[in-house]
Amino acid sequence: MNTPRRSGSLVLAALAALSVLGRATRAFAQAAPPVDLATRVADLEAYVTNGTPKALVSPGPGHNAWMMTSSALVLFMTLPGLALFYGGLVRRKNVLSIMAQCLGCAGFVTILWWLVGYSFAFAPGSPYLGGFKYALLAGVGGAPNADYGAWVSHSVYAMYQLMFAIITPALIVGAIAERMKFSAIMAFLFAWMILIYFPLAHMVWGVDGLMNGVWNPHASIKAIDFAGGTVVHMSSGWSALVLCILLGKREGHGKNVFLPHSLVLTMVGTGMLWVGWYGFNAGSAVAADGIAAGAFMATTLATGVASVTWPAIEWITRRTPTVLGFCSGAVAGLVVVTPASGFVTGSGAVLIGLLAGSVPYLACTKLKAIFKYDDALDTFGVHGVGGTMGALITGFLATPEANPNLNINLAGIVGKSLWLEQLKAMGLTITMAVVGTVVIALSVKALIGLRPDSDDEEDGLDQADHGEAGYHFDEGGGHAPSRAEEAMDAIAGSAVAGRTAHE
């Protein structure tokens, strides 16, 4: 009996819903008129060429995929690449301490990045520091942030830059290896990231940064840094030098021979660093485009040339090309080409490789011997000296032939006075790193101290800081080194001490 009434009610409800849908459709059409075919084709072309779309606001699958891959590659540089590279160079009693420091950087910096780090580095703000717009990664989602990449999700870009933030402080620990407490390192790095890294990253890469010469037309210092010569290598290298001097030398330094406990691990770590560095340099194009391809080529050429230049010098001067020389040359090539990688031609990259294989070699073997500072794993010699040289060379070799973006705001100085702008950026970076490190290190020393006591240092930081050992010879079916074997190690070390770049 109630069926007709129910049917009528359903019809009225359906008509009301259609009316609402119609009004919503008309409102949407008025607010967002349909995109014409020409615009859609133009946006498709912009996607292919990494141009700026007119109507489409969406990540491009290919570019997004490349940047996610690059992010993973850059993390691969730290874990396990740098951990193995550094881990093999220290004595066996300190191998876990180095790895713990790399792991600590990865976790600790990630938390800082989420809290305020990304916002301080990449949110709009002042020329010196970003604001709080992206604190807690608010608003950092799947849509692109046009300030940094038209076709890459903002979230992907933020994670990519996080990997740079992770590896930079991890580089510092190479200079102070085997003699700084884990708690002191973590406290130092917390302050260092806030006072040095975040401001420097904003100044060089932030949309309104003081030294972002490529993209900020109002930059006071019109410098260029494609993938981190100033932000990563100079900042960590110069800070490492100051910190190792303030910390003092390792117990027994200059009296005992400190041999790398496993050059096998160092070689494996070197290979991982080289592979991961393609994400570091080619990924800095923030797209899978021709500039990324150029950076990929420049990275390969410079690293290959440097990896044979360093041991070639050893061969000529000491009659033996060492595996450590090959590894050190490769890393030096990667470091020096970093700021230039997306701005130079293949021939420019070869020249960079020759310089990278020779100048850091002299810094590690001669400069350190003259001034007698204990840069345990040559962080300053490779990253400080190499990064500084790379920043300057970039000013001479950068060309619009490799990167047309140089013509946007720098057409009047590229190939002319760009190197002077690079000098300004280098001076500011060194000042920030040196002064900031002194202040932070002395503050941490006053609060909790920097070094373990002599007995703990002698026993090794694996046990002192972490209560663990990297190797258990009895359980592994081997045997602990005897006094005779340790004596033979010392004798062998005396024979090769003049050839190694690390002691």
Side-chain angles (χ1 to χ4, degrees), residues 201-213:
H202 181 78
M203 284 189 275
V204 174
W205 292 326
V207 64
D208 52 358
L210 179 79
M211 298 187 283
N212 190 350

Side-chain angles (χ1 to χ4, degrees), residues 374-455:
D374 186 12
D375 178 7
L377 309 183
D378 286 325
T379 299
F380 175 70
V382 174
H383 297 274
V385 173
T388 304
M389 179 175 66
L392 182 60
I393 294 172
T394 301
F396 290 105
L397 297 181
T399 171
E401 178 185 347
N403 192 330
N405 292 322
L406 290 169
N407 283 328
I408 296 175
N409 293 311
L410 302 174
I413 64 173
V414 173
K416 300 173 185 176
S417 59
L418 179 59
W419 65 277
L420 294 173
E421 300 298 310
Q422 296 297 98
L423 283 177
K424 296 175 186 177
M426 291 157 56
L428 180 56
T429 301
I430 293 171
T431 300
M432 287 180 62
V434 170
V435 175
T437 299
V438 170
V439 172
I440 297 168
L442 294 180
S443 299
V444 173
K445 182 178 182 180
L447 292 172
I448 62 174
L450 295 174
R451 295 186 69 145
D453 61 41
S454 297
D455 289 340

Side-chain angles (χ1 to χ4, degrees), residues 78-92:
T78 306
L79 303 173
L82 187 67
L84 290 174
F85 180 82
Y86 277 172
L89 292 174
V90 297
R91 289 169 289 178
R92 63 171 67 92

